[in-house]
């Protein structure tokens, strides 16, 4: 249900007060209204039943820019976090956590990838007690002491939802292609990989293909190996797999050594929620969208404008 313009300040006030914990005078300062008005808006929010984080995310859903991006990129839903605060990336994660909780239904099976963005969402997320929810790890694991490991992300989200968590007891990358093929053929691993497409919801981000990539930082690839793959068309990383600009798996030895759900299985998931915090991930995000790996998207305002500008330029060039 769309928010009427007259209700937008109510939602903004509720979001800042309840989601971010700002004092009423701070909310008043940010919205350029009186403290008395803030108190009135918060009272109306309680009286009308909108004073909860999930409902207040409707404010972003009804943003005009979000609607234009949905139309231009054929996405089911887009949420745009404001960037007029001290830490926009945290705002994106807070919004994404609320959106994620809105999308989860009782009995859902949820596929979760890994990385700093996903773990930040898990860490920020409110607790919920949902029935018969299962959280599934989408790819193999990374060795300690690397942070934001797939198993950490999966189990933290499962804990927040009071859900069952299913981890992969296999590494993300094997030393040889033959070993990776043999491990994927093991009944336990084969069953878990084949069941990914049965998930109702996926939560992931898209990784970069440069020296700051998680794959480089965790030791799966060296910086020079990543640079070589980039020269061959690598554009992004999804659940540990390297994709090209069209969102297809790049033909390379690294991908053949990875234990991860096939991209076809990810595309079979009805709701694929992608969250991107960093502006530097513009090209990886374009690749993920081109590959049909995203149906629902949470981004910041600058990234949103870049996406819309790119879509307009592409349309103009095609005509």
């Amino acid at each position: 249900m769309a928010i009427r313009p007259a209700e937008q300040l109510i939602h903004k006030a509720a979001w800042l007060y309840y989601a971010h914990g700002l004092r009423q005078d701070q909310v008043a300062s940010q919205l350029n209204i009186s403290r008395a008005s803030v108190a009135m808006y918060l009272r109306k929010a309680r009286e009308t039943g909108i004073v909860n984080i999930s409902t207040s995310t409707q404010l972003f859903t009804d943003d005009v820019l979000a609607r234009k991006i949905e139309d231009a990129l054929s996405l089911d839903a887009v949420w745009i976090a404001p960037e007029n605060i001290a830490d926009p990336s945290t705002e994106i994660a807070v919004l994404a956590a609320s959106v994620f909780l809105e999308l989860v239904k009782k009995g859902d099976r949820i596929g979760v990838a890994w990385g700093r963005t996903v773990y930040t969402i898990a860490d920020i997320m409110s607790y919920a007690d949902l029935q018969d929810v299962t959280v599934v790890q989408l790819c193999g694991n990374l060795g300690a002491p690397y942070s934001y490991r797939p198993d950490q992300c999966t189990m933290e989200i499962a804990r927040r939802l009071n859900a069952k968590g299913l981890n992969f007891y296999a590494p993300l990358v094997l030393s040889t292609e033959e070993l990776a093929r043999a491990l994927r053929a093991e009944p336990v691993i084969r069953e878990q990989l084949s069941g990914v497409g049965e998930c109702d919801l996926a939560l992931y981000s898209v990784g970069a293909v440069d020296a700051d990539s998680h794959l480089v930082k965790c030791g799966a690839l060296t910086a020079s190996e990543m640079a070589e793959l980039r020269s061959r068309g690598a554009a992004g990383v999804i659940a540990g797999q390297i994709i090209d600009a069209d969102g297809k798996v790049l033909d390379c030895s690294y991908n053949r050594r990875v234990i991860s759900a096939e991209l076809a299985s990810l595309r079979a998931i009805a709701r694929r929620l992608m969250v991107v915090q960093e502006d530097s991930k513009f090209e990886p995000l374009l690749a993920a969208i081109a590959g049909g790996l995203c149906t629902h998207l949470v981004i910041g305002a600058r990234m949103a404008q870049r996406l819309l500008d790119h879509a307009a330029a592409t349309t103009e060039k095609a005509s």
Side-chain angles (χ1 to χ4, degrees), residues 110-183:
I110 304 166
V112 173
W114 59 289
R116 182 177 58 193
T117 297
V118 173
Y119 192 80
T120 301
I121 293 169
D123 191 50
I124 288 174
M125 188 182 302
S126 301
Y127 288 90
D129 189 8
L130 299 176
Q131 297 177 3
D132 302 321
V133 170
T134 302
V135 183
V136 179
Q137 187 175 320
L138 292 177
C139 60
N141 207 25
L142 300 164
Y146 186 72
S147 301
Y148 322 122
R149 297 195 316 262
D151 61 331
Q152 291 177 318
C153 294
T154 300
M155 297 313 293
E156 183 59 25
I157 289 178
R159 190 173 73 89
R160 298 284 172 142
L161 299 178
N162 194 25
K164 178 182 178 181
L166 292 180
N167 285 137
F168 256 123
Y169 294 101
L172 174 65
V173 187
L174 278 295
S175 57
T176 67
E177 296 178 25
E178 293 77 15
L179 186 57
R181 282 196 296 269
L183 189 54

Side-chain angles (χ1 to χ4, degrees), residues 205-210 213 215 221 226 229-230 233-250 252 254-255 263 274 280-288 293:
S205 186
V206 59
V209 286
D210 52 28
S213 169
L215 294 182
L221 288 168
M226 181 62 86
L229 289 173
R230 185 175 177 86
V237 182
I238 295 287
Q241 300 174 84
I242 296 177
I243 59 174
D244 63 18
D246 295 322
K248 299 177 181 178
V249 175
L250 188 72
C252 62
Y254 166 82
N255 277 337
L263 296 191
M274 181 162 289
S280 60
K281 292 184 177 180
F282 179 64
E283 290 184 4
L285 177 55
L286 287 178
L293 296 164

Side-chain angles (χ1 to χ4, degrees), residues 25-274:
D25 61 325
Q26 293 173 317
V27 175
S29 176
Q30 185 150 330
L31 297 181
N32 196 28
I33 58 178
S34 69
R35 183 169 179 174
S37 295
V38 172
M40 178 186 66
Y41 289 147
L42 294 177
R43 185 179 68 252
K44 286 185 178 180
R46 292 191 296 270
E47 292 171 350
T48 56
I50 66 169
V51 66
N52 61 73
I53 294 175
S54 62
T55 305
S56 65
T57 61
Q58 293 179 34
L59 170 63
F60 305 102
T61 306
D62 286 288
D63 183 86
V64 173
L65 181 56
R67 301 286 75 72
K68 290 181 178 179
I69 293 174
E70 289 169 4
D71 291 341
L73 301 177
S74 299
L75 299 175
D76 291 345
V78 174
W79 291 264
I80 301 173
E83 296 185 347
N84 58 345
I85 57 175
D87 187 0
S89 64
T90 299
E91 177 76 9
I92 293 170
V94 170
L95 176 59
S98 297
V99 169
F100 176 74
L101 288 175
E102 287 182 357
L103 293 175
V104 177
K105 309 298 180 186
K106 293 181 179 179
D108 271 358
R109 187 177 179 90
I110 304 166
V112 173
W114 59 289
R116 182 177 58 193
T117 297
V118 173
Y119 192 80
T120 301
I121 293 169
D123 191 50
I124 288 174
M125 188 182 302
S126 301
Y127 288 90
D129 189 8
L130 299 176
Q131 297 177 3
D132 302 321
V133 170
T134 302
V135 183
V136 179
Q137 187 175 320
L138 292 177
C139 60
N141 207 25
L142 300 164
Y146 186 72
S147 301
Y148 322 122
R149 297 195 316 262
D151 61 331
Q152 291 177 318
C153 294
T154 300
M155 297 313 293
E156 183 59 25
I157 289 178
R159 190 173 73 89
R160 298 284 172 142
L161 299 178
N162 194 25
K164 178 182 178 181
L166 292 180
N167 285 137
F168 256 123
Y169 294 101
L172 174 65
V173 187
L174 278 295
S175 57
T176 67
E177 296 178 25
E178 293 77 15
L179 186 57
R181 282 196 296 269
L183 189 54
R184 282 194 291 266
E186 284 294 313
V188 173
I189 303 299
R190 185 177 65 244
E191 180 180 355
Q192 188 161 348
L193 287 173
S194 64
V196 167
E198 299 173 2
C199 288
D200 304 284
L201 172 65
L203 171 65
Y204 46 38
S205 186
V206 59
V209 286
D210 52 28
D212 290 327
S213 169
H214 286 313
L215 294 182
V216 173
K217 290 181 177 179
C218 76
L221 288 168
T222 65
S224 60
E225 288 172 334
M226 181 62 86
E228 195 272 333
L229 289 173
R230 185 175 177 86
S231 71
R232 291 173 50 191
V237 182
I238 295 287
Q241 300 174 84
I242 296 177
I243 59 174
D244 63 18
D246 295 322
K248 299 177 181 178
V249 175
L250 188 72
D251 183 15
C252 62
S253 176
Y254 166 82
N255 277 337
R256 290 190 288 272
R257 293 185 288 114
V258 165
I259 305 297
S260 181
E262 294 183 357
L263 296 191
S265 295
L266 297 181
R267 294 187 190 99
I269 301 173
R271 290 165 290 152
R272 304 180 290 281
L273 175 61
M274 181 162 289

